[in-house]
Amino acid sequence: DNPDYEFFLYNFHCVPAAMFSLFRIMTSPSLESYREPMHNNPVLVFFLIVFVLFGSFGMKGLLTGVIRESITDKNQARIENKREERESKRKQLEHCSREFNGLDSG
């Protein structure tokens, strides 16, 4: 009795199909195939609006976190490399100082 039964059965018949359908909605702004079901089911419109809003905030947060983590890792590696360079230069300076002190006393 529901005119959109085939549409819902095709797009949301199991969890993986539903997840893929929602992923397509998030990645493709075209809702042409959802036009008729959205017109017949106002709850679907509300759900899709809420899903896209929260999903877009979630995606932005995820991308921001990944980028921030990458930058933090690179900065930590750069700081560690600089520390190792300073330590190496300090050891060379100590070695040179010992050599020069040895020349003075000899």
Side-chain angles (χ1 to χ4, degrees), residues 5 11 14 36 41 51-54 56 64-65 71 75 80-81:
Y5 178 76
N11 288 303
C14 65
E36 190 65 32
N41 302 293
F51 177 78
V52 169
L53 284 175
F54 281 107
S56 63
T64 302
I71 289 171
N75 282 339
E80 182 65 24
N81 285 339

Side-chain angles (χ1 to χ4, degrees), residues 9-10 22 28 34 67-69 92 99:
L9 184 64
Y10 177 75
L22 293 173
S28 171
Y34 288 85
I67 292 169
R68 182 177 178 269
E69 185 68 26
Q92 286 177 349
E99 292 293 322

Side-chain angles (χ1 to χ4, degrees), residues 27-42:
T27 58
S28 171
S30 173
L31 295 174
E32 191 63 36
S33 62
Y34 288 85
R35 182 175 298 222
E36 190 65 32
M38 286 184 354
H39 179 68
N40 295 336
N41 302 293

Side-chain angles (χ1 to χ4, degrees), residues 12-94:
F12 300 99
H13 67 279
C14 65
V15 173
M19 289 174 65
F20 184 68
S21 295
L22 293 173
F23 176 76
R24 280 193 325 224
I25 290 171
M26 288 295 297
T27 58
S28 171
S30 173
L31 295 174
E32 191 63 36
S33 62
Y34 288 85
R35 182 175 298 222
E36 190 65 32
M38 286 184 354
H39 179 68
N40 295 336
N41 302 293
V43 175
L44 179 63
V45 174
F46 176 75
F47 171 75
L48 291 178
I49 289 171
V50 170
F51 177 78
V52 169
L53 284 175
F54 281 107
S56 63
F57 283 121
M59 292 294 283
K60 286 179 187 176
L62 181 67
L63 290 174
T64 302
V66 167
I67 292 169
R68 182 177 178 269
E69 185 68 26
S70 172
I71 289 171
T72 302
D73 288 345
K74 286 181 183 178
N75 282 339
Q76 288 295 330
R78 185 176 49 83
I79 289 169
E80 182 65 24
N81 285 339
K82 284 185 176 183
R83 188 192 65 75
E84 288 173 359
E85 277 182 31
R86 283 193 310 268
E87 184 66 24
S88 173
K89 287 178 183 178
R90 188 185 63 78
K91 286 181 181 179
Q92 286 177 349
L93 213 71
E94 286 177 356

